[in-house]
């Protein structure tokens, strides 16, 4: 086990009363004055991004460091879950299942929730810049998820970017695109629906295939004269490749076409054409997913990694692969999909809600150990994803990842695919999501 020793020194000046639950109503004093006076004498930990990872970290920090002053900054008014959102697109679960109240966990666990946009950082002064003003921190957690790298397709052609984002939304980031995509699926009258998949690493690798299956199920059920073409940059379906291939062939042979090695070369959203390494395609409608990168906040914090060979940005956080803090600033931690590579054997941890939740707990524990003046213990997550491939009867496949450290200190991954679709896995999936929502949403 790898251990590190760090110490935390309490702030010289701690203002205000003891830490406790709060819904922030920040006074806007002026753009240069810090807002949100500190609560109590414990450490102030600011978390940027209240999704799967950020909300988990907030809960566990409050539990592990009872006098901590935890502030969670989130741009959205409510929580939208990626997990289960494919099922929501085709009405297998309702809106209240994937869209949840964030004030309940903030009150229950006693952290401050502020709905605001994180706009930048003054790391030398340990301050976060937000739309409401500056916020001080002792420790900072960046958990803003991903951004769509449309520039990889369109350079600085903002017209093409805006057109693609608004006409062919992919709903891989929790925002208004989710409602927009749902209405696109509902109103799909037929023709060719193209889905582009991003190159790895990207958010939740098995989920675009799940989405294709469930939209195909919707097309089949409603006898819509439609087809789905999946343009996949990978040479084969992965993960759970056998299970997905069987679902495509046995359930949706006349609806889904999977095209491997179809890395996108050029997209013309106005004329509905895509050039790929596997040929050119026209579409009637599309779900266009460009490459993924770490959320803007990591770029704004100037903490994006650089490729050793080329010196170019990796697109992901530059971090210690076992302790999850920035390599150049040990007061800044990363949680969730924005994290950088972990191991030469497998690259990144899967960019999943399961891993974000796990790392949220690990990082909370790491910070608690530092605050207590203890050695920090390096810990490993695991990963588990359930994917629905059939809506009637409801059947799922799944994938599990386990991790261990070898004698050289390298983290190694074992992948276990469950390719046989069963209804038992559906029950496991709902037990899994209810357990996770209980963990960080407090329900
Ligand atoms: C269709 C789909 C299906 C999926 N299925 C599964 C599944 O079955 N199992 C699974 O484990 N995972 C699944 N995932 C993946 C899962 O959703 C993500 O891996 C998970 O949400 C990552 O958590 P995170 O905290 O890193 O990011 P998020 O949950 O996206 O949270 C990031 C938060 O940061 C906020 N934010 C970003 N920038 C700012 C800013 N500047 N200011 C303020 N707030 C900001 C965002 O609004 C967001 O709320 C799925 C994802 C999708 C899209």
């Amino acid at each position: 086990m790898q251990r590190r020793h760090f110490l935390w020194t309490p702030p010289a000046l701690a203002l205000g009363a003891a830490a406790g639950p709060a819904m922030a109503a920040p006074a806007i004093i002026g753009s240069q004055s810090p807002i949100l006076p500190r609560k109590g004498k414990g450490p102030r930990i600011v978390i940027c991004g209240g999704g799967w990872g950020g909300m988990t970290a907030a809960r566990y920090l409050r539990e592990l460091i009872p006098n901590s002053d935890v502030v969670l900054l989130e741009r959205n008014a409510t929580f939208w879950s990626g997990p289960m959102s494919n099922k929501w697109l085709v009405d297998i679960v309702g809106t209240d299942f994937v869209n949840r109240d964030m004030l309940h966990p903030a009150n229950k666990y006693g952290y401050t929730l502020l709905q605001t946009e994180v706009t930048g950082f003054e790391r030398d002064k340990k301050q976060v810049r937000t739309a409401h003003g500056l916020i001080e921190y002792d420790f900072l957690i960046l958990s803003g998820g991903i951004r769509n790298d449309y520039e990889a397709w369109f350079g600085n052609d903002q017209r093409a970017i805006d057109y693609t984002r608004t006409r062919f939304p992919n709903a891989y980031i929790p925002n208004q695109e989710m409602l927009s995509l749902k209405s696109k699926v509902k109103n799909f009258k037929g023709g060719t629906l193209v889905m582009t998949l991003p190159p790895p690493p990207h958010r939740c690798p098995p989920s675009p295939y799940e989405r294709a299956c469930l939209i195909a199920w919707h097309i089949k059920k409603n006898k819509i004269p439609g087809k789905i073409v999946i343009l996949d940059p990978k040479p084969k379906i992965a993960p759970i490749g056998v299970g997905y291939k069987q679902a495509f062939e046995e359930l949706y042979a006349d609806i889904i076409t999977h095209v491997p090695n179809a890395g996108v070369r050029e997209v013309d959203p106005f004329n509905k054409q895509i050039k790929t390494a596997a040929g050119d395609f026209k579409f009637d409608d599309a779900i266009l997913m460009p490459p993924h990168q770490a959320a803007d906040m990591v770029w704004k914090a100037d903490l994006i990694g650089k490729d050793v060979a080329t010196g170019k940005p990796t697109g992901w956080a530059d971090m210690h692969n076992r302790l999850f803090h920035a390599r150049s600033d040990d007061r800044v931690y990363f949680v969730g999909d924005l994290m950088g590579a972990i191991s030469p054997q497998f690259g990144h941890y899967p960019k999943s809600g399961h891993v974000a939740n796990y790392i949220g707990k690990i990082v909370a524990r790491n910070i608690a150990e530092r605050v207590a003046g203890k050695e920090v213990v390096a810990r490993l997550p695991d990963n588990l994803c359930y994917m629905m491939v059939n809506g009637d009867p409801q059947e799922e496949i799944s994938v599990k990842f386990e991790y261990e450290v070898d004698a050289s200190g390298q983290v190694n991954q074992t992948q276990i695919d469950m390719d046989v679709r069963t209804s038992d896995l559906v029950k496991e999936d709902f037990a899994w999501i209810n357990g996770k929502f209980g963990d960080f949403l407090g329900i």
Side-chain angles (χ1 to χ4, degrees):
M1 231 181 260
Q2 190 174 348
R3 287 162 193 272
R4 279 275 193 98
H5 196 72
F6 294 98
L7 283 177
W8 172 76
T9 320
L13 258 184
L15 307 173
M23 288 159 283
I28 302 177
I29 301 163
S31 61
Q32 298 311 313
S33 334
I35 58 167
L36 295 182
R38 284 171 180 270
K39 289 188 199 162
K41 293 191 166 45
R44 155 73 68 83
I45 303 143
V46 175
I47 304 171
C48 300
W52 273 70
M55 271 202 282
T56 305
R59 173 195 168 162
Y60 284 91
L61 282 164
R62 287 288 302 127
E63 286 185 9
L64 294 166
I65 315 173
N67 70 346
S68 59
D69 172 12
V70 176
V71 178
L72 179 62
L73 308 176
E74 168 57 44
R75 60 157 69 109
N76 290 339
T78 52
F79 168 77
W80 281 94
S81 177
M84 297 288 161
S85 67
N86 284 332
K87 299 180 187 77
W88 167 76
L89 285 179
V90 293
D91 293 331
I92 287 170
V93 297
T95 301
D96 54 358
F97 197 89
V98 287
N99 181 214
R100 304 278 182 155
D101 164 32
M102 297 182 71
L103 284 178
H104 172 71
N107 288 333
K108 180 168 178 178
Y109 301 121
Y111 56 83
T112 302
L113 172 66
L114 175 61
Q115 189 188 349
T116 193
E117 179 75 20
V118 173
T119 56
F121 303 89
E122 314 274 343
R123 284 197 288 116
D124 52 335
K125 297 185 197 136
K126 296 204 192 69
Q127 291 179 338
V128 181
R129 257 187 273 133
T130 76
H132 285 79
L134 291 165
I135 300 177
E136 297 174 318
Y137 66 82
D138 298 309
F139 294 96
L140 178 66
I141 295 179
L142 301 187
S143 50
I146 56 158
R147 75 177 189 186
N148 285 308
D149 180 20
Y150 287 112
E151 287 79 5
W153 285 354
F154 302 120
N156 59 6
D157 183 350
Q158 199 56 45
R159 187 171 150 260
I161 293 174
D162 289 343
Y163 193 86
T164 302
R165 200 172 42 76
T166 53
R167 306 302 164 96
F168 308 112
N170 58 62
Y172 259 69
I173 293 175
N175 58 26
Q176 70 282 0
E177 286 185 24
M178 297 186 71
L179 292 163
S180 176
L181 180 58
K182 187 171 168 90
S183 92
K184 183 190 281 277
V185 171
K186 281 216 148 161
N187 295 321
F188 183 60
K189 298 281 182 288
T192 301
L193 177 76
V194 158
M195 289 176 63
T196 58
L197 268 55
H202 67 85
R203 171 165 277 186
C204 197
S207 62
Y209 307 114
E210 177 191 56
R211 182 179 279 180
C213 286
L214 290 179
I215 297 177
W217 171 70
H218 167 82
I219 286 174
K220 190 161 106 175
K221 185 177 70 161
N222 294 295
K223 300 188 173 52
I224 298 165
K227 300 208 175 305
I228 299 172
V229 176
I230 304 171
L231 300 179
D232 193 341
K234 299 192 291 297
K236 58 180 187 176
I237 303 166
I240 346 176
V242 173
Y244 272 124
K245 194 163 181 293
Q246 284 169 353
F248 292 173
E249 289 172 0
E250 293 166 15
L251 303 173
Y252 312 115
D254 49 351
I255 300 177
I256 294 181
T257 304
H258 175 258
V259 186
N261 298 310
V264 170
R265 290 190 171 152
E266 212 179 300
V267 179
D268 178 351
F270 307 107
N271 294 303
K272 299 184 176 175
Q273 289 174 2
I274 301 180
K275 291 186 177 164
T276 78
D280 300 349
F281 297 83
K282 281 181 154 290
F283 58 84
D284 298 301
D285 212 335
I287 299 173
L288 297 181
M289 295 170 70
H292 289 169
Q293 292 183 330
D296 282 337
M297 60 176 67
V298 188
W299 300 78
K300 287 180 177 158
D302 197 17
L303 291 172
I304 288 289
K306 284 210 172 60
D307 184 85
V308 184
T310 64
K312 289 188 180 157
T314 60
W316 304 98
D318 183 26
M319 55 173 227
H320 189 290
N321 70 334
R322 300 295 318 283
L323 299 175
F324 309 108
H325 60 70
R327 288 202 299 157
S328 58
D329 184 344
D330 70 13
R331 290 299 179 116
V332 183
Y333 283 84
F334 302 104
V335 170
D337 287 1
L338 48 66
M339 297 192 307
I342 301 297
S343 164
Q345 190 233 5
F346 61 88
H348 292 231
Y349 282 138
K351 299 195 179 296
S352 72
H354 188 98
V355 168
N357 170 258
Y358 214 126
I359 303 289
K361 291 180 204 179
I362 291 177
V363 163
R365 198 163 284 281
N366 288 1
I367 294 174
E369 284 167 347
R370 283 178 70 175
V371 168
K374 292 183 185 161
E375 280 187 320
V376 178
V377 179
R379 298 172 176 88
L380 295 167
D382 63 16
N383 186 45
L384 182 59
C385 279
Y386 297 93
M387 295 285 134
M388 188 172 277
V389 291
N390 193 8
D392 188 14
Q394 289 184 2
E395 291 172 320
E396 298 199 3
I397 55 181
S398 77
V399 60
K400 193 175 176 179
F401 295 87
E402 291 170 351
Y403 298 95
E404 58 183 8
V405 183
D406 68 20
S408 72
Q410 177 175 293
V411 182
N412 292 323
Q413 171 179 279
T414 307
Q415 178 177 335
I416 304 150
D417 287 351
M418 298 287 287
D419 290 300
V420 179
R421 53 180 189 273
T422 70
S423 51
D424 281 351
L425 288 174
V426 180
K427 289 191 200 109
E428 281 184 30
D429 187 9
F430 278 88
W432 171 83
I433 192 83
N434 287 327
K436 293 295 171 208
F437 282 173
D439 192 42
F440 66 87
L441 292 172
I443 45 176

